[in-house]
Amino acid sequence: MTVWDDLVGQERVSEQIAAAARDADAFVTAAASDAPPPEASRMTHAWLFTGPPGAGRNQAARAFAAALQCVSPDRALGGAPGCGFCDGCHTALVGTHADVSTVAAVGAEILVKDMRDTVRKSFTAPANGRWQVILVEDAERLNEKSANAVLKAVEEPAPRTVWLLCAPSVEDVLPTIRSRCRHLVLSTPSVEAVADMLVRREGIEPDVAASVARATQGHVDRARRLATDPAARARRASVLKLPQRVEEVGGALRAAQELVDAAAEDAKQLAEEMDGKETEDLKAALGAAQGGRLPRGTAGVVKDLEDMQKRRRTRTQRDSLDVALADLTSFYRDVLALQLGSRIALANTDAEDALERLARGSTPESTLRRIEAIAACGEALDRNVAPLLAVEAMTMALRAG
């Protein structure tokens, strides 16, 4: 199994970065033997991966990072980098490689203090690997200061440093940064490709794989989660019942409260799993005895960790609400398809009775207004409107039609 096997339906992009990895391998080999580097190379120091949610931007970038760090002995026999089995590939894929640094948004933004050490590291030579790789998973969340820090590093990178930026679209990244990157566009995988991956890689029954792939419309991570997590399926089923509960004001407000509470519970569960261990590990690293007092002058470090954990809880709640909004949009898209007599396949076949009932009882115009209300809720959350207020406004708009 090579590192490219995780890229579902992205054959064109896989070919491009595999070719670049081969050229990068040739560059390192030439440098090690004092031979002149290849004249023509498809490798460059900065890459921008864009594509819709679920297309696998981060997976593509991480696979590329693994191929750049590949130390398989097969390369000496003409094998391509990216075997997927060697220590370089394995540690890069699981996120423990010393020369692959990953930056992801903990809260709504990537702050400059979260980037300082990474930018500083980008100017150093690789410690153990073949390249110093910096992977920024949420480049669209760079704020002005952190984006400027990245720009300075991308403008004048170290010879063996590679920046891999991931964002939904090229417009989400500063023009000055994207102009210095090679741009790769990923597309939404087909339902059939996602279903095939679930059967082959996860051992999911074919009918279940087809159902969740259709429900998520090619979103690989959500399809995998729906196929393997009963709690995720239960949450989705609850969300799809919401359009039937907004006929009365009281029902609309209760539905909004339950949706926000479910998202908050997701954030709480993640916090219970991670926060306590992180805090204890930090205190141990600072020299505090088990249950004892912290050494003098370290309270600020613990406060920084607590702030990060708070931002992560907020982000987790928002991500959970985003999934619910995507499910609702998919539901009303199916309603609109039925109303217009479209021949496109329905995504939510498990809720077909409810879809047909709502399609008969409303007009295409009202369905479009409801889809717009869901989008407006997402925009309000982006502006940091209180989640309950934003979701209540949405459910009341869904009721009004």
Side-chain angles (χ1 to χ4, degrees):
M1 182 186 72
T2 69
V3 297
W4 317 115
D5 289 346
D6 281 337
L7 306 187
V8 182
Q10 308 296 344
E11 289 77 11
R12 180 180 55 80
V13 169
S14 297
E15 291 172 1
Q16 289 180 271
I17 52 181
R22 289 193 295 271
D23 287 351
D25 189 64
F27 176 86
V28 174
T29 302
S33 61
D34 293 326
E39 293 184 4
S41 175
R42 286 158 290 192
M43 182 60 186
T44 188
H45 71 285
W47 298 75
L48 174 59
F49 295 80
T50 66
R57 300 185 300 264
N58 296 340
Q59 289 87 342
R62 190 163 294 280
F64 190 21
L68 292 175
Q69 305 293 14
C70 182
V71 292
S72 169
D74 291 342
R75 294 187 352 270
L77 302 175
C83 67
F85 293 103
C86 70
D87 184 65
C89 286
H90 176 71
T91 53
L93 290 173
V94 300
T96 58
H97 197 291
D99 293 318
V100 179
S101 302
T102 303
V103 180
V106 176
E109 296 179 327
I110 297 178
L111 305 180
V112 68
K113 66 179 182 180
D114 299 329
M115 288 298 307
R116 281 198 188 102
D117 289 341
T118 303
V119 169
R120 191 178 300 115
K121 185 178 180 182
S122 75
F123 291 107
T124 64
N128 301 312
R130 302 165 69 79
W131 294 87
Q132 187 75 260
V133 181
I134 311 298
L135 169 55
V136 183
E137 292 189 344
D138 305 289
E140 76 278 9
R141 295 180 183 269
L142 291 165
N143 63 20
E144 183 179 358
K145 292 182 178 179
S146 57
N148 285 333
V150 170
L151 175 61
K152 292 177 182 178
V154 173
E155 280 181 326
E156 299 178 3
R160 296 270 286 277
T161 294
V162 182
W163 283 83
L164 309 178
L165 310 179
C166 304
S169 71
V170 68
E171 288 79 15
D172 291 315
V173 180
L174 280 179
T176 47
I177 292 179
R178 68 188 189 226
S179 66
R180 290 165 173 79
C181 298
R182 185 164 298 169
H183 184 203
L184 295 175
V185 182
L186 285 76
S187 57
T188 299
S190 69
V191 169
E192 292 75 18
V194 175
D196 179 66
M197 179 275 296
L198 292 174
V199 173
R200 288 186 296 104
R201 301 291 300 277
E202 308 292 338
I204 306 300
E205 291 295 324
D207 56 339
V208 175
S211 176
V212 298
R214 188 167 52 247
T216 56
Q217 292 294 286
H219 194 300
V220 179
D221 289 338
R222 288 188 57 211
R224 183 184 287 114
R225 193 175 303 118
L226 276 182
T228 59
D229 184 0
R233 292 196 293 273
R235 284 194 294 271
R236 176 177 173 274
S238 176
V239 169
L240 294 185
K241 292 178 181 177
L242 187 146
Q244 305 169 61
R245 300 179 56 197
V246 298
E247 295 178 356
E248 299 178 356
V249 172
L253 296 178
R254 282 193 298 273
Q257 183 69 64
E258 291 172 11
L259 198 61
V260 173
D261 288 346
E265 183 62 26
D266 282 347
K268 180 181 177 182
Q269 289 179 1
L270 179 67
E272 290 175 349
E273 293 172 4
M274 301 181 67
D275 289 5
K277 184 178 185 305
E278 286 177 343
T279 301
E280 290 303 317
D281 288 348
L282 178 62
K283 288 181 178 179
L286 294 174
Q290 184 71 28
R293 296 172 62 88
L294 284 167
R296 187 184 301 274
T298 60
V301 180
V302 176
K303 178 64 165 57
D304 288 342
L305 175 63
E306 292 171 348
D307 290 342
M308 183 275 291
Q309 291 171 341
K310 182 178 179 180
R311 287 188 285 133
R312 184 171 62 202
R313 285 193 293 272
T314 301
R315 171 75 186 274
T316 303
Q317 182 180 16
R318 171 61 203 278
D319 288 346
S320 182
L321 286 174
D322 280 345
V323 171
L325 296 183
D327 287 334
L328 279 175
T329 302
S330 172
F331 181 93
Y332 283 109
R333 169 259 194 196
D334 283 350
V335 171
L336 186 62
L338 290 173
Q339 289 171 329
L340 298 177
S342 172
R343 295 184 179 181
I344 63 171
L346 297 181
N348 302 285
T349 53
D350 50 343
E352 197 163 352
D353 290 344
L355 293 171
E356 291 178 350
R357 185 163 56 252
L358 194 57
R360 290 193 301 268
S362 61
T363 65
E365 291 78 13
S366 64
T367 302
L368 284 171
R369 286 194 292 271
R370 286 167 171 144
I371 292 173
E372 290 171 354
I374 299 169
C377 179
E379 293 170 0
L381 292 171
D382 282 339
R383 299 193 303 272
N384 292 323
V385 173
L388 184 57
L389 290 178
V391 177
E392 282 182 343
M394 179 192 73
T395 56
M396 294 301 291
L398 296 179
R399 175 180 177 273

